[in-house]
Amino acid sequence: MLSRYFLLLLLTLSALRLAAQQAPSPADTLHARALPTATVVGYGERLPLRRTAAAVGVLDQTIIQRFNENSLASAVNTLPGVRLEERATGSYRISVRGSTLRSPFGVRNVKMYYFDIPFTEANGTSPLNILDPAQIGRIEVLKGPAGSVYGAGTGGVVRLENRRPTPPISANAAGQGRAQVGYSVGSFGLRRFTASVETSKANGDYFRAQYAHQQLHGYREQSALRRDVFALDGQTSPTDRQTLAVHALYTDLYYQLPGGLTRTQFEQDPRQARPGAPSGPGTVAQRASYASQTGLLGVTHEYQISDKWRTVATLYGRSTSVQTPYLVDWERDAILGGGGRAALHYRGLLAGHTLRVQGGGEFQVSFTDSRSYLNVGGAPTTLRYDDEIRTRTGFVFAQADYELPAGFLLTAGASYNRLRYQIDRISSAAANPTGYGVARDFQPQVLPRLALLKELTRNISAYTSVSSGYSPPTEAELRPSDGTISQDLQAERGTSYEVGSRGTLLSGRLNLDVALFDLELRNTIVSRSNAQGIQLFANAGDTHQRGAEVAASGWLWQPPTPSDAPSPAAGLRAWASYAYNRFRFGSYESATGQQYGGNQLTGTAPHTLSAGLDFSEARGFYLSPTVGHQSTLPLNDANTDYAAGYWIFGSRAGWRRTLAGRLSLDVYGGVENATNRRYSLGNDLNAFAGKYFQPAPGRNYYAGTLVSWRW
């Protein structure tokens, strides 16, 4: 299989080099300039994207703002190989190259960072829904195992940063500030309000405070949402060699859970919540919902010891309170967690060539007091169990990047990982004083990564990499809501092989990124649900996850502009991303003895496509139409039920202008799912009695305005 990938890559590289050699001169392209060169953190070193030997997807503020900011799903789904789904309003789950398989709800098996703060909790889950899209300024997605620098995981890494103020152009400027207010309304009771104030200096110091409120009645019955987010971000330089960054976040979140529908229910009325049945009441009667209050505080200190050595250290703490009534259980969790990350970086010369070395570690601890009650009409009644969970996880890592002759870059790294759960069932202590606790101590694992990149021309590079991944069960998988504690569930192990190429062509008018991969997983974790909708987990042999990803963007038209202008003021730009996934189960025998080897991977579509146009003109008017496609996908491991494929269309249009150099206006409106397509975004996989479908909103509209004043 890999030989085919290398052959396809060679053909792609040949085409890229030929196009680069035949590219027109700048004089023939109406003074076209190259698109901005993206710089990414990647594997711990800030490098140009073309010098990063990995599949990395990047979203900036401009991409996020071309969609309705009530959700991140539309923006994230422009990245090939990445799918962000909403099973209910505000209930996110993210899939990177098929990792949805073990994420019936929530974000799992994808490591997340908020700036340099570990955003994924020690128990393995990432509360992406506590962030408001309007505060996100940048998202980086590293696809596939990234264990050399980021520790355990087989699904990838997501790095998030808030929007930062633009520093003054002049180094002598005293600083500048801006205040901004936005308000928008939309279908199904959507109301959004945002406010922010920020200051910045030429040396990079800044302060930003932002508040965001969102409320929604919801497309479906029992799908309302309310979210309030307050964020503080700042950076200062106590000395010329030091920077200190502080990030604080508080979120009060509430959303209702409508539940999954059968195909018949979905076709009859997609707006209904899960109805009651002889086995029990429905989600409306049980007032199914999720509520949480989360506080997060992190501090990062960077110190430039010398021209060659620097340190980066982060400490953080988090507190979360969760209340979740569902069909059977009513859970109340109190979670305290914290940890840190530290790295020592070296940059020097070895045999006349640049060598970058980094080493360090990350450590997290958490304590959870979790109580589960019987849910009767949305109220907690009889205590089912009372657990105390202590989690400790951490890893140490080292990585070296060596600039070899002839434009080669060699990267080698590894990490050493530990994880331990201690689950004490306090409610059983009186009846069983010596056996009410369960400990799961997963064996230490070493995860290596090796990559080689070659610069073919000044604007085109190619890379190949081999990396290993190790993903132990999350606390929610070891301790599902039915009250059991799994002592047999094992960690996933995987190896990823990848080749890729990226570059710019046609004098910077066209950006192209191609990746081919083969991820081999062992002890793959799969999920199923019982009659009460409770998710249960088991190991299912192995999977073969092979695919191709392509992303392209470029200018179709630009008016003549001065050659020294920083960027085109107007034009028509097109972009598209496509992913082909040939994901299959290997050896897989179900609990009932059925053989599923060779079946398609549950919940993953073989084809996904996203494309759009971005038009703007000098007077400030803009238009951004988008089309998205997902092909038919299997809903259960047996591949007997499928969700139909779909195409969806949407667009945003508006007028954006700066007046008198200080006042900026953005007046906009848009439509989503313009053809009123009926589809499910976030299916419940292997659902009991065929209750797979979580209907996405039908045709809906939004409009708003954003006003800012700069001083």
Side-chain angles (χ1 to χ4, degrees), residues 226-244:
R226 177 193 51 77
R227 177 172 57 206
D228 293 278
V229 182
F230 182 68
L232 289 174
D233 303 296
Q235 178 176 295
T236 186
S237 303
T239 68
D240 292 341
R241 292 182 175 271
Q242 298 183 73
T243 60
L244 182 68

Side-chain angles (χ1 to χ4, degrees), residues 384-501:
R384 299 172 67 228
Y385 55 84
D386 179 2
D387 290 348
E388 292 182 352
I389 305 104
R390 295 169 176 82
T391 307
R392 291 182 296 172
T393 183
F395 62 92
V396 294
F397 67 90
Q399 178 176 285
D401 298 276
Y402 190 35
E403 304 273 0
L404 298 170
F408 283 97
L409 171 64
L410 177 65
T411 301
S415 65
Y416 175 83
N417 299 262
R418 295 292 303 266
L419 172 65
R420 187 176 194 275
Y421 292 107
Q422 176 65 45
I423 304 173
D424 294 325
R425 180 141 293 173
I426 305 302
S427 53
S428 301
N432 190 5
T434 61
Y436 66 92
V438 175
R440 290 296 306 271
D441 196 347
F442 291 90
Q443 292 297 316
Q445 298 289 333
V446 176
L447 305 178
R449 179 177 182 269
L450 184 66
L452 181 66
L453 179 141
K454 163 67 175 172
E455 284 195 284
L456 302 175
T457 70
R458 186 172 60 90
N459 296 317
I460 301 172
S461 64
Y463 66 90
T464 182
S465 69
V466 180
S467 58
S468 60
Y470 162 77
S471 183
T474 66
E475 181 259 316
E477 293 164 343
L478 288 177
R479 196 184 63 93
S481 297
D482 68 344
T484 61
I485 299 177
S486 174
Q487 301 191 52
D488 299 323
L489 198 60
Q490 300 300 314
E492 292 181 338
R493 287 298 305 263
T495 304
S496 176
Y497 308 90
E498 184 170 339
V499 293
S501 178

Side-chain angles (χ1 to χ4, degrees), residues 578-659:
Y578 167 75
Y580 167 69
N581 302 315
R582 192 183 187 282
F583 296 172
R584 297 289 187 271
F585 286 111
S587 58
Y588 178 10
E589 181 177 335
S590 71
T592 59
Q594 295 174 294
Q595 298 294 330
Y596 295 148
N599 285 4
Q600 291 186 53
L601 201 66
T602 316
T604 302
H607 306 277
T608 58
L609 171 70
S610 183
L613 296 172
D614 292 316
F615 168 77
S616 60
E617 56 88 46
R619 286 165 295 188
F621 293 99
Y622 62 89
L623 176 67
S624 301
T626 307
V627 59
H629 170 66
Q630 179 175 282
S631 62
T632 302
L633 58 82
L635 295 169
N636 57 9
D637 298 346
N639 286 186
T640 56
D641 289 322
Y642 287 80
Y646 59 86
W647 290 86
I648 53 173
F649 301 87
S651 184
R652 173 167 167 160
W655 179 74
R656 185 184 294 123
R657 197 70 182 267
T658 299
L659 307 174

Side-chain angles (χ1 to χ4, degrees), residues 19 59 143 177 215 375 433 448 494 584 592 665 681:
L59 297 176
K143 305 170 191 176
Q215 64 186 51
N375 181 16
R584 297 289 187 271
T592 59
L665 296 176
L681 182 62

Side-chain angles (χ1 to χ4, degrees), residues 508-554:
R509 282 182 173 269
L510 175 65
N511 286 359
L512 187 63
D513 196 326
V514 181
L516 309 168
F517 63 92
D518 181 357
L519 174 60
E520 301 292 321
L521 277 181
R522 304 180 297 279
N523 285 334
T524 305
I525 297 175
V526 298
S527 67
R528 62 178 176 84
S529 66
N530 62 16
Q532 289 75 39
I534 294 173
Q535 299 291 334
L536 305 174
F537 302 87
N539 295 106
D542 56 353
T543 59
H544 312 293
Q545 297 171 214
R546 299 160 180 162
E549 298 162 354
V550 181
S553 63

Side-chain angles (χ1 to χ4, degrees), residues 313-329:
T314 297
L315 291 174
Y316 82 95
R318 171 165 37 201
S319 173
T320 302
S321 174
V322 179
Q323 306 86 37
T324 310
Y326 198 53
L327 289 177
V328 174
D329 55 318

Side-chain angles (χ1 to χ4, degrees), residues 63-77 84-92 128 131-134 136 139 163 190 192 214 216 225 227 672 681 697:
I63 299 175
I64 297 172
Q65 285 184 315
R66 74 183 304 281
F67 300 99
N68 188 359
E69 289 183 290
N70 69 324
S71 170
L72 282 170
S74 296
V76 172
N77 289 341
L84 182 60
E85 302 174 339
E86 278 191 289
R87 298 172 58 252
T89 306
S91 178
Y92 290 129
L128 182 59
L131 301 177
D132 186 88
I136 304 299
I139 301 175
R163 298 177 184 179
L190 174 64
R192 281 181 53 81
Q214 178 172 321
L216 186 69
L225 172 140
R227 177 172 57 206
E672 296 180 314
L681 182 62

Side-chain angles (χ1 to χ4, degrees), residues 183-339:
Y183 186 75
S184 63
V185 298
S187 302
F188 315 126
L190 174 64
R191 300 291 185 273
R192 281 181 53 81
F193 171 77
T194 61
S196 65
V197 60
E198 60 189 39
T199 61
S200 61
K201 297 182 179 179
N203 65 354
D205 290 359
Y206 73 93
F207 169 81
R208 190 170 198 271
Q210 179 168 341
Y211 168 74
H213 169 80
Q214 178 172 321
Q215 64 186 51
L216 186 69
H217 298 331
Y219 170 70
R220 298 177 62 190
E221 185 181 19
Q222 192 68 19
S223 63
L225 172 140
R226 177 193 51 77
R227 177 172 57 206
D228 293 278
V229 182
F230 182 68
L232 289 174
D233 303 296
Q235 178 176 295
T236 186
S237 303
T239 68
D240 292 341
R241 292 182 175 271
Q242 298 183 73
T243 60
L244 182 68
V246 178
H247 306 288
L249 175 73
Y250 176 78
T251 299
D252 187 351
L253 173 66
Y254 169 81
Y255 59 86
Q256 296 174 332
L257 299 169
L261 302 179
T262 65
R263 189 181 302 274
T264 300
Q265 294 165 347
F266 174 55
E267 293 173 349
Q268 288 177 344
D269 180 11
R271 302 192 66 169
Q272 65 178 308
R274 177 173 173 171
S279 58
T283 54
V284 174
Q286 292 292 77
R287 300 181 183 177
S289 61
Y290 175 93
S292 69
Q293 299 80 39
T294 301
L296 173 67
L297 176 63
V299 179
T300 297
H301 179 263
E302 183 171 347
Y303 182 59
Q304 191 73 39
I305 302 173
S306 67
D307 293 340
K308 295 182 178 180
W309 295 91
R310 67 183 176 93
T311 62
V312 181
T314 297
L315 291 174
Y316 82 95
R318 171 165 37 201
S319 173
T320 302
S321 174
V322 179
Q323 306 86 37
T324 310
Y326 198 53
L327 289 177
V328 174
D329 55 318
W330 199 108
E331 291 192 15
R332 183 192 301 274
D333 297 340
I335 308 169
L336 289 174

